[in-house]
């Protein structure tokens, strides 16, 4: 629980409850035939947790708070676009907003795949690579085949 601020020691319990609701409770409540209800409930929980993370800033590190908000925002956007895609496929043509399903699919894939690397690049540019702890870099280098940790000399 050291990742959380001193007043937010309980936040991991809330995070576990969110995961349980998204993965088990909501699918149990809505039948297999009620895809729209499942999507709406999941979206509401996701947006609710996004608002909580944004307002509370529960992590001790500012960068982790930013990362949590961005990841939760991306998840909420992915769920929103999934609701739009579902609506486009299941609504009558006259009720449809006529979004391009292929474009929505491309955005969904890009969001799902690209959010992690985008955040890493953001933090690397914001803070610089020198902020990554040496032990983490050495561990990463050791995990690569045929690589050994690089010893760097401190600048004088």
């Amino acid at each position: 629980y050291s990742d959380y601020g001193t007043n937010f020691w309980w936040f991991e319990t809330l995070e576990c409850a969110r995961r349980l609701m998204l993965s088990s409770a909501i699918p149990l409540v809505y039948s297999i035939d009620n895809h729209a209800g499942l999507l709406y409930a999941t979206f509401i929980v996701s947006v609710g947790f996004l608002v909580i993370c944004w307002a509370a800033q529960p992590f001790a590190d500012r960068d982790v708070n930013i990362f949590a908000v961005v990841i939760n925002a991306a998840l909420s956007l992915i769920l929103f676009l999934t609701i739009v895609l579902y609506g486009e496929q299941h609504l009558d043509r006259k009720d449809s907003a006529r979004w391009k399903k292929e474009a929505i699919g491309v955005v969904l894939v890009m969001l799902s795949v690209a959010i992690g690397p985008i955040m890493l690049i953001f933090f690397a540019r914001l803070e610089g690579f020198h902020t990554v702890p040496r032990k983490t870099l050495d561990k990463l280098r050791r995990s690569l085949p045929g690589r050994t940790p690089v010893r760097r000399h401190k600048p004088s």
Side-chain angles (χ1 to χ4, degrees), residues 99-110:
W99 291 51
K100 293 187 177 183
K101 291 184 262 188
E102 294 79 17
I104 295 171
V106 168
V107 171
L108 281 169
V109 169
M110 288 175 58

Side-chain angles (χ1 to χ4, degrees), residues 7 9 11 32 34 38 60 95-96 102 105 121 140 150 152:
N7 294 335
W9 55 267
F11 202 80
I32 294 175
N34 190 0
L38 178 68
D95 295 331
S96 172
E102 294 79 17
I121 291 168
L140 178 63
V150 177
R152 295 182 189 210

Side-chain angles (χ1 to χ4, degrees), residues 18 43 46-47 49-50 66-82 107-116 118-119:
R18 178 190 72 93
F43 178 70
S46 179
V47 169
F49 199 75
L50 167 63
I66 293 170
F67 189 75
V69 168
V70 170
I71 292 296
N72 281 302
L75 177 61
S76 297
L77 182 58
I78 288 168
L79 287 168
F80 173 74
L81 290 174
T82 304
V107 171
L108 281 169
V109 169
M110 288 175 58
L111 268 172
S112 300
V113 172
I115 193 68
I118 288 170
M119 290 302 297

Side-chain angles (χ1 to χ4, degrees), residues 54-65:
W54 187 25
Q57 300 284 308
F59 295 98
D61 186 6
R62 178 187 66 89
D63 292 343
V64 177
N65 281 315

